[in-house]
Amino acid sequence: RKSKVKVSILTEKKPMGTAGSLSLLPPDISSPITVINGDVISEIDLDALSNFHIENNNAITLCAATYKIKIPFGVISFNEDNEYKGMEEKPVINKYILSGIYSLEKDILHLINKRNFSMPDLIIKADSLGKKIGIFPIYESWKDLGSIKELNLAKKNAN
């Protein structure tokens, strides 16, 4: 890629959680810090993410991917008296989800107070302290390979 982003990989001796592993960063790290979970593949524009994060003065920027769930049945709605109100045949539900890609200011790292700390823990703690959290929707390709099924599908599609 043509990005000017410097990439460093952290290796944990034992699982620390995504945010917990950030405690391994050297103290002189520069902001913003982009975190990408190891089981995520995306063509996200990292320069655009960094610019968005800085321009919006966010403490944390969460990248949001769209996720579709197709319900293979008709979905019915009814009122509190159990009277039929309507039906939707095999609907598709679209939701924004945490993509496993984040941009953080380095001063947010002081909120990590234990070695096993998840990114949702960090987000909740930052939010409770009134830190500004922005959302950066991903329109580029994004894939989570966190399951054997998804990994095998990605391998198949790569060939």
Side-chain angles (χ1 to χ4, degrees):
R1 285 189 166 261
K2 296 177 185 176
S3 176
K4 296 177 250 169
V5 175
K6 181 182 174 191
V7 175
S8 298
I9 297 173
L10 295 176
T11 305
E12 307 161 310
K13 291 182 180 170
K14 55 183 173 178
M16 301 172 73
T18 302
S21 66
L22 298 176
S23 66
L24 299 174
L25 288 170
D28 62 343
I29 193 91
S30 61
S31 286
I33 302 160
T34 301
V35 177
I36 303 174
N37 291 0
D39 57 357
V40 169
I41 296 176
S42 178
E43 292 182 8
I44 186 173
D45 184 336
L46 294 175
D47 290 324
L49 169 60
S50 183
N51 291 337
F52 175 88
H53 177 80
I54 292 166
E55 288 169 9
N56 288 281
N57 199 28
N58 292 332
I60 302 176
T61 300
L62 310 174
C63 294
T66 55
Y67 190 78
K68 296 178 182 179
I69 302 168
K70 183 176 182 177
I71 298 177
F73 308 101
V75 174
I76 57 172
S77 57
F78 52 93
N79 65 20
E80 62 278 351
D81 294 324
N82 294 327
E83 297 170 332
Y84 174 82
K85 298 303 273 182
M87 179 177 60
E88 187 177 4
E89 185 62 24
K90 299 180 182 178
V92 176
I93 300 170
N94 292 305
K95 294 288 183 180
Y96 279 103
I97 60 162
L98 285 174
S99 68
I101 304 172
Y102 314 89
S103 191
L104 314 166
E105 287 302 306
K106 73 177 183 177
D107 67 348
I108 210 80
L109 300 181
H110 79 278
L111 299 178
I112 302 167
N113 59 5
K114 58 183 179 178
R115 291 284 179 193
N116 191 350
F117 208 69
S118 72
M119 195 57 81
D121 290 337
L122 181 59
I123 294 163
I124 291 166
K125 189 169 188 178
D127 184 51
S128 73
L129 295 171
K131 301 292 184 182
K132 186 173 180 192
I133 301 173
I135 306 297
F136 185 80
I138 297 174
Y139 299 105
E140 299 87 354
S141 69
W142 173 89
K143 194 67 150 168
D144 177 277
L145 303 179
S147 71
I148 296 296
K149 177 183 174 185
E150 290 297 331
L151 179 60
N152 288 335
L153 185 60
K155 286 179 182 178
K156 181 180 174 184
N157 290 337
N159 294 331

